[in-house]
Amino acid sequence: MSKEKRYPDDDVTIVPTGCCHDCGGRCVLRAHVKGGKIVRFETDNGEAPQIRACLRGRAYRQRIYHPDRLKYPLRRVGERGEGKFERVTWDEALDEVAYRLKQIKEAYGNSAIFFAMGSGNQGMLHGPIPVGAMLQAFGGFTRIWGVSSYEGPLFASMATYGTIGTGNSRDDLLNSRLVIMWGWNPANTIWDPETNFTLARVKEQGTRMVAVDPRYTDTVATYAHQWIPIRPGSDAAMLIAMAHVIVSEGLQDQAFIDRYTVGFERYKAYVLGHEDGVPKTPQWAESITTVPAETIATLGREYATIKPAALIAGWGPARAALGEQYCRAANVLCTLTGNIGIPGGYASGFMRAYSSRETASGSHGSKNPVEQGAPPRPYSLHKLRGGTNPSSARIHSAKVFDAMLRGRAGGYSTDLKMAYVVASNFINQHSNTNKGVEAFKALEFVVVHEQFMTPTAKFGDIVLPVNTFMERSDIAPPWLGSPYYIYLNKAVDSMYDTKSDLEIVRMLSKKLGLPAKLADLEEEQILKRIAARRNDIDDFEKLQKNGVLKIKLKQPVISFKEQVNDPENHPFSTLSGKIEIECDHLAEMEHPLIPSIPRYLTHEEGYDSPLSRKYPLQLLTTHHKTRAHSTWYNVAWLREVEPHAVWINPKDAEIRRIREGILVDVFNDRGRIRLPAKVTERIMPGVVNVSQGAWYDPDENGVDRGGCANVLTEDAHSPGGAHHMNSALVQIELAPQK
Ligand SMILES: Nc1nc2c(c(=O)[nH]1)N[C@H]1C(S)=C(S)[C@@H](COP(=O)(O)OP(=O)(O)OC[C@H]3O[C@@H](n4cnc5c(=O)[nH]c(N)nc54)[C@H](O)[C@@H]3O)O[C@H]1N2
Ligand SMILES: Nc1nc2c(c(=O)[nH]1)N[C@H]1C(S)=C(S)[C@@H](COP(=O)(O)OP(=O)(O)OC[C@H]3O[C@@H](n4cnc5c(=O)[nH]c(N)nc54)[C@H](O)[C@@H]3O)O[C@H]1N2
Ligand code: SF4
Ligand SMILES: [Mo]
């Protein structure tokens, strides 16, 4: 490791370390260490592209040295969830975990163990990875499918293109003549550290930039020439109407369609209304989306004629009921305009650009004994290679609470009896938190590896204190697919009586009688082995010394370049070998909510559903600028930058007598949360936003004073896997004022 000396008195060492939560980034932090304590951070000032930390990473001292850090192992003494614990030794704590694991395995089998692996640490050595390996060696466990981040985009991406590798190198946006940012807010969500710098350059060179979002986000404010507010959940209608404009005016790239796609005629029949008598015109879409027909028509014409153009369809609108349809409609629009496989174009889809690793959820083969031999679940794209593991032994993450409560009797693959929680604020971060509380209470045993007493850790029977990035070493790949790695050198010793997840696994494995794999190796030696398995880490020492390894690509990534330049030798990885506007693999599922072509469909919590009479406001639960999910929620500095509040339009506020800053209740049949109102025209009428990740904190009446969005969201998913997190209907009223 490089220990740069820069200060005159020579007692400060600069250690290259980093930050790798599931935050849209993974950045370089250089810790200035004095007397065993980090006194300040700086970030990457090196060669371009700079992997510069955001406001959260720069505030990291507030997290490491937070007074509420978990300091020693805890055992529950009160009722589960009550939050009463006693201090125990590591030996006592781990003896109990080992005893319970063995007991549950013996009584119910390994599938009764639910492994709640969260996103808190994205390093390759620590966090859930070693715990998963241990549980696998112990005979296996039940895990989730349906990643809340992107299951809808992933499904649609696989169905259309047969892959999730659909992005271009970020700086290729400089070749675009039009950039459409659809439900995408990288000014807050980062989406790899060089994205914002690139977008600023795109704007500077005068490229037209359009944003489609119910909110006037920081991204709209910073980059967009035009903001098109749209009713949540209606995006598919607008995209299909844009296709109507393009096809009815003959603006499609017919040569591209003829050569590279299947199913155009079928889609055309739907779009033009030949199939059902309803032409999907901009007027049709206006009544659904609230976007003026003329705006839709103009954007459709622009997108088809200003080439090359990049349509970037973010994941927020897909984290919603029938989100798959929005993604499929976006992918198909990219296809109709021939903006695929060319510089300055963009295929949308899942959007991974560069990758040295396997696909998102790994290959379909599983080494987890609980999953071996399980047939594919219905409505999975099991005939395709890559994508989500289709094992029917997995439970959709939106359904875990229900599965805990109902088990096999409710149609699930197993009866869950214990939760092993690592790097996850599971109860807080999954839909229908109140149900989650009941579900966790119903289990026989809960163990949690955490850094703080989160709302989920409170439900632990044993809570094990974990150290942070700077107290151990790790390597992290980028968040989505930029070509670089960061190396997090240990900068200070573990605080208090904390340990890394790896150290815990080593101690616990002994107690479980499991073979001691790699047990005699130092962190650095294991990291060397991890690096050796990557074909693109050619200089481990440099990575370790600089804290970052930037991989120089021979040429920028343009997804599907080979398929487009040389289709005979490079088919698409779909079953037909072409881009599937109509997808037979979907057709054969025979599910009305998984049509073979993208369609606009309604659902029971849509703006026009009967429920909207009782709950007239559409709730968004977006990703908050100053936290990664629920991480950093407890950091006061960041709370000050952007306080947690429900965004509401002045029109909706006025009729409810709601003023700026006043406490309000947001509620529906699933629960009630209490938080301040932010009255702002930055959100369109009829829509409110409570960013996800505030910590659940119910009072004696069950009112959540923390303002946790998932108290209100529905624990449901669309057949392709999309979560309904942006599809909840709510009402708002003044809270009882003190
Ligand atoms: N600061 C910060 N950055 C993060 C994270 C974080 O927690 N905080 N989390 C990271 C992770 S793990 C992920 S998965 C990504 C998530 O990245 P995204 O899914 O892209 O983030 P969101 O904020 O949920 O949604 C993006 C935008 O979609 C808009 N939107 C929501 N519903 C609709 C709709 O129906 N139609 C349209 N047109 N727009 C809609 C929202 O208003 C929001 O501005 O972010 C990553 N980056
Ligand atoms: N309503 C709604 N809900 C959402 C979303 C949404 O858009 N709307 N977004 C969803 C998305 S995209 C995601 S990815 C999930 C994320 O949900 P989670 O994966 O639960 O993420 P966090 O809330 O950040 O919780 C991570 C926890 O890991 C802990 N941690 C950090 N480092 C370590 C470590 O090294 N070891 C251990 N053991 N613990 C560590 C942190 O203290 C933190 O409490 O949330 C989802 N929830
Ligand atoms: S929170 Fe994410 S984007 Fe911000 S500094 Fe840390 S790794 Fe980078
Ligand atoms: Mo995510």
Side-chain angles (χ1 to χ4, degrees):
M1 176 208 325
S2 81
K3 291 205 168 179
E4 188 189 333
K5 304 267 183 198
R6 200 190 296 165
Y7 293 78
D9 58 1
D10 228 21
D11 61 351
V12 175
T13 312
I14 301 174
V15 183
T17 175
C19 176
C20 66
H21 290 297
D22 191 17
C23 53
R26 314 255 171 107
C27 306
V28 174
L29 287 173
R30 298 169 64 76
H32 295 221
V33 182
K34 181 175 180 172
K37 202 172 169 193
I38 299 172
V39 290
R40 66 172 279 229
F41 282 116
E42 58 182 1
T43 186
D44 187 10
N45 284 318
E47 56 177 352
Q50 291 183 342
I51 313 299
R52 293 178 74 81
C54 77
L55 71 171
R56 295 164 292 172
R58 284 154 191 260
Y60 219 92
R61 272 167 25 89
Q62 300 294 310
R63 213 172 169 265
I64 309 176
Y65 299 118
H66 198 295
D68 296 346
R69 278 278 301 271
L70 290 175
K71 300 178 180 68
Y72 28 72
L74 297 170
R75 176 163 54 205
R76 169 169 72 86
V77 288
E79 293 295 307
R80 184 175 299 141
E82 206 185 343
K84 290 196 182 136
F85 294 93
E86 62 179 359
R87 178 178 183 170
V88 289
T89 64
W90 276 102
D91 239 0
E92 287 169 316
L94 293 178
D95 276 342
E96 178 154 350
V97 177
Y99 171 74
R100 295 295 212 128
L101 272 168
K102 287 184 199 159
Q103 189 198 31
I104 283 166
K105 173 179 171 150
E106 198 157 302
Y108 310 105
N110 278 80
S111 69
I113 303 167
F114 177 65
F115 180 28
M117 54 181 121
S119 68
N121 171 56
Q122 297 286 321
M124 298 199 270
L125 180 56
H126 298 287
I129 292 173
V131 183
M134 172 186 74
L135 291 178
Q136 193 156 291
F138 185 63
F141 54 88
T142 294
R143 60 178 287 178
I144 60 134
W145 74 279
V147 176
S148 48
S149 315
Y150 51 61
E151 198 66 28
L154 187 148
F155 183 85
S157 192
M158 292 299 295
T160 315
Y161 300 117
T163 175
I164 63 167
T166 62
N168 294 359
S169 292
R170 200 58 92 202
D171 56 7
D172 180 57
L173 283 174
L174 291 163
N175 298 318
S176 304
R177 294 182 56 226
L178 167 71
V179 175
I180 305 175
M181 303 177 287
W182 203 299
W184 193 51
N185 181 22
N188 290 167
T189 57
I190 311 297
W191 277 61
D192 279 352
E194 85 281 25
T195 295
N196 282 289
F197 184 58
T198 307
L199 290 173
R201 288 170 64 204
V202 170
K203 183 171 187 188
E204 252 171 35
Q205 71 181 23
T207 308
R208 183 163 154 68
M209 299 172 87
V210 180
V212 185
D213 199 303
R215 299 185 308 145
Y216 188 88
T217 60
D218 287 355
T219 299
V220 182
T222 313
Y223 307 116
H225 298 107
Q226 184 185 6
W227 173 42
I228 303 177
I230 187 171
R231 179 183 267 150
S234 72
D235 303 84
M238 177 158 163
L239 290 157
I240 290 165
M242 285 167 70
H244 184 281
V245 173
I246 291 169
V247 173
S248 59
E249 298 181 10
L251 301 175
Q252 74 272 22
D253 186 337
Q254 196 62 47
F256 185 91
I257 294 168
D258 292 344
R259 191 149 187 211
Y260 303 107
T261 75
V262 293
F264 175 64
E265 289 304 322
R266 182 72 202 282
Y267 189 53
K268 189 171 157 186
Y270 165 68
V271 168
L272 296 181
H274 300 159
E275 184 201 272
D276 56 0
V278 184
K280 311 300 176 303
T281 60
Q283 288 73 20
W284 166 82
E286 175 174 333
S287 65
I288 298 167
T289 60
T290 76
V291 181
E294 198 42 49
T295 307
I296 299 174
T298 304
L299 190 63
R301 283 181 204 120
E302 282 184 322
Y303 181 52
T305 53
I306 307 180
K307 266 173 94 171
L311 166 58
I312 302 177
W315 296 344
R319 210 172 290 111
L322 303 166
E324 300 91 344
Q325 299 313 311
Y326 147 73
C327 301
R328 283 269 289 147
N331 299 346
V332 166
L333 203 66
C334 298
T335 306
L336 298 187
T337 56
N339 271 303
I340 292 173
I342 55 169
Y346 207 71
S348 233
F350 182 91
M351 300 196 274
R352 182 169 291 287
Y354 169 84
S355 183
S356 76
R357 50 195 151 154
E358 291 180 344
T359 47
S361 309
S363 61
H364 288 180
S366 166
K367 293 193 184 125
N368 179 354
V370 165
E371 291 174 356
Q372 274 161 13
R377 62 170 186 275
Y379 318 126
S380 61
L381 294 163
H382 61 273
K383 289 186 185 169
L384 292 167
R385 293 191 52 217
T388 300
N389 187 309
S391 169
S392 56
R394 295 189 178 192
I395 297 171
H396 191 282
S397 63
K399 285 295 178 192
V400 168
F401 298 149
D402 200 53
M404 284 175 173
L405 290 167
R406 300 200 298 138
R408 288 191 176 93
Y412 294 98
S413 55
T414 187
D415 295 315
L416 298 173
K417 297 292 179 186
M418 81 162 269
Y420 201 127
V421 184
V422 183
S424 173
N425 193 351
F426 200 90
I427 297 176
N428 209 82
Q429 291 308 112
H430 285 81
S431 290
N432 204 346
T433 294
N434 286 327
K435 192 172 184 177
V437 165
E438 294 318 306
F440 266 66
K441 279 185 184 162
L443 294 173
E444 290 185 11
F445 184 64
V446 180
V447 53
V448 183
H449 292 200
E450 249 304 345
Q451 296 162 337
F452 290 95
M453 187 52 75
T454 64
T456 302
K458 265 192 185 167
F459 283 79
D461 297 311
I462 295 285
V463 180
L464 303 172
V466 175
N467 60 14
T468 68
F469 303 136
M470 289 81 190
E471 299 158 79
R472 63 199 186 207
S473 295
D474 214 332
I475 297 180
W479 185 77
L480 186 66
S482 296
Y484 74 90
Y485 289 88
I486 59 170
Y487 193 105
L488 303 92
N489 285 289
K490 176 179 166 188
V492 293
D493 289 333
S494 286
M495 310 242 328
Y496 318 108
D497 199 6
T498 64
K499 293 187 189 299
S500 70
D501 298 294
L502 179 69
E503 287 173 296
I504 296 172
V505 162
R506 285 179 166 176
M507 291 166 71
L508 186 55
S509 296
K510 261 192 209 152
K511 293 189 190 286
L512 291 170
L514 298 174
K517 252 174 101 186
L518 307 181
D520 48 342
L521 294 187
E522 301 280 331
E523 279 182 352
E524 187 185 318
Q525 292 171 297
I526 307 177
L527 288 170
K528 224 176 222 170
R529 290 190 183 198
I530 291 174
R533 287 206 300 267
R534 301 272 149 168
N535 54 11
D536 52 355
I537 301 183
D538 54 1
D539 194 339
F540 178 81
E541 274 69 37
K542 189 172 160 197
L543 167 63
Q544 191 185 31
K545 180 166 164 281
N546 297 345
V548 61
L549 185 74
K550 299 174 190 177
I551 294 150
K552 297 264 177 276
L553 299 180
K554 288 196 194 80
Q555 49 206 6
V557 178
I558 308 287
S559 286
F560 307 124
K561 201 164 105 185
E562 291 80 17
Q563 284 84 344
V564 166
N565 289 346
D566 181 13
E568 277 65 43
N569 296 309
H570 295 278
F572 284 84
S573 358
T574 53
L575 297 179
S576 65
K578 306 248 178 159
I579 300 174
E580 303 206 343
I581 297 174
E582 179 173 31
C583 173
D584 285 345
H585 201 358
L586 297 184
E588 71 197 16
M589 292 177 192
E590 294 187 340
H591 192 302
L593 300 182
I594 318 182
S596 62
I597 52 168
R599 285 174 193 272
Y600 172 69
L601 302 166
T602 55
H603 61 94
E604 77 281 4
E605 236 170 290
Y607 77 96
D608 54 353
S609 63
L611 191 67
S612 68
R613 281 195 285 277
K614 189 172 174 196
Y615 298 118
L617 298 168
Q618 290 183 279
L619 174 73
L620 298 181
T621 63
T622 55
H623 290 228
H624 196 80
K625 175 178 180 166
T626 67
R627 40 183 198 258
H629 316 294
S630 72
T631 303
W632 276 288
Y633 175 73
N634 57 349
V635 169
W637 279 17
L638 293 175
R639 288 274 271 282
E640 202 182 315
V641 171
E642 184 157 320
H644 186 59
V646 51
W647 288 27
I648 181 167
N649 184 277
K651 280 192 188 139
D652 294 318
E654 200 183 344
I655 55 172
R656 292 171 175 83
R657 293 185 295 120
I658 291 168
R659 279 174 286 110
E660 172 72 14
I662 206 163
L663 268 188
V664 296
D665 280 3
V666 188
F667 61 98
N668 60 19
D669 289 343
R670 290 178 285 269
R672 180 178 284 262
I673 67 175
R674 186 162 294 164
L675 74 172
K678 170 171 164 144
V679 180
T680 172
E681 297 201 352
R682 292 182 61 180
I683 191 158
M684 63 188 279
V687 185
V688 296
N689 179 60
V690 176
S691 290
Q692 56 106 340
W695 289 16
Y696 176 69
D697 177 25
D699 69 9
E700 60 287 357
N701 301 315
V703 179
D704 170 28
R705 300 159 294 192
C708 171
N710 281 319
V711 167
L712 304 167
T713 58
E714 188 192 11
D715 50 328
H717 65 93
S718 302
H723 284 251
H724 289 197
M725 289 163 162
N726 285 323
S727 299
L729 292 173
V730 297
Q731 179 56 290
I732 299 196
E733 63 189 17
L734 292 171
Q737 307 291 321
K738 283 188 202 103

